[in-house]
Amino acid sequence: MTQHQSAQSPYLPPPAGVPFGAPPPPEPAMPWAKAIAVTVGVFLVAGVVAGWAWQQFSPLAQYTVDENGGALGEEQMTRVFGPDGTFTAIGFLAALVLGGALFWWLRNYGPWSVAIVALGSCLGSGVAWGVGMLLGHDPLQPRLEAAKPGDLVAAPLELHTWLPIAAWLVGAALAAAVIAATTWRAEPVATTSQPGASESSPQVH
């Protein structure tokens, strides 16, 4: 009677003889469409916010207007590459945090999660640059021509090299590498032997 009840109860808890240290069953992966959509959405929003922050907080060099146009003093020359540094810092930190969070969330995809996060970070970098240029890139020459001698005219917001664009990818890749190195281990091996039939099923005399 006991054997008949256990055969018709598939939802009973597993027997106590399961070897200690056996790996838990893998978590089901979410659909590809959801994983990609969430990653794209997160980096789109991050790119917009980062582009606004780049435009707001970048130190811009100031041109001093004279009869011959505009000129940069020695102090202002050191601020020419300020937008490059600001874009690099914002992008690296944003991608490090968001890339790490998304990679942890998508880690069941294995190496494909790296590709998803990397492509998302590239998207965020492009969006940040586009938003910043849209908000803060005012052509310099028309403003110099409209200014009077003695006025200060800010340099346009721009990148002088494309290297800061890669800061997003570097930050996301670094986060993924650190998480992968600490979580992608070999499955644990049970240290106890499988109980024999005589131990698990006592003989009935």
Side-chain angles (χ1 to χ4, degrees), residues 54-175:
W54 179 45
Q55 187 268 332
Q56 289 290 319
F57 302 111
S58 289
L60 300 177
Q62 300 287 330
Y63 285 83
T64 302
V65 180
D66 55 23
E67 292 78 5
N68 299 321
L72 288 174
E74 294 183 2
E75 180 182 355
Q76 296 299 321
M77 286 290 294
T78 62
R79 306 180 68 180
V80 169
F81 293 96
D84 297 71
T86 304
F87 189 94
T88 300
I90 293 175
F92 179 81
L93 293 176
L96 186 69
V97 174
L98 297 177
L102 288 170
F103 180 78
W104 178 264
W105 185 52
L106 301 172
R107 65 190 184 279
N108 288 338
Y109 283 111
W112 285 107
S113 58
V114 180
I116 297 175
V117 173
L119 292 176
S121 66
C122 293
L123 174 65
S125 182
V127 171
W129 177 79
V131 170
M133 293 291 287
L134 181 65
L135 295 177
H137 181 74
D138 296 325
L140 177 62
Q141 192 59 36
R143 291 186 289 122
L144 288 177
E145 294 176 353
K148 300 177 180 179
D151 290 345
L152 295 177
V153 177
L157 181 71
E158 59 186 356
L159 294 177
H160 299 86
T161 174
W162 289 102
L163 291 178
I165 297 290
W168 286 73
L169 180 59
V170 173
L174 179 61

Side-chain angles (χ1 to χ4, degrees), residues 165-204:
I165 297 290
W168 286 73
L169 180 59
V170 173
L174 179 61
V178 171
I179 295 175
T182 56
T183 58
W184 287 355
R185 307 186 184 97
E187 293 185 355
V189 179
T191 56
T192 58
S193 59
Q194 187 77 12
S198 59
E199 299 176 359
S200 59
S201 300
Q203 297 290 337
V204 177

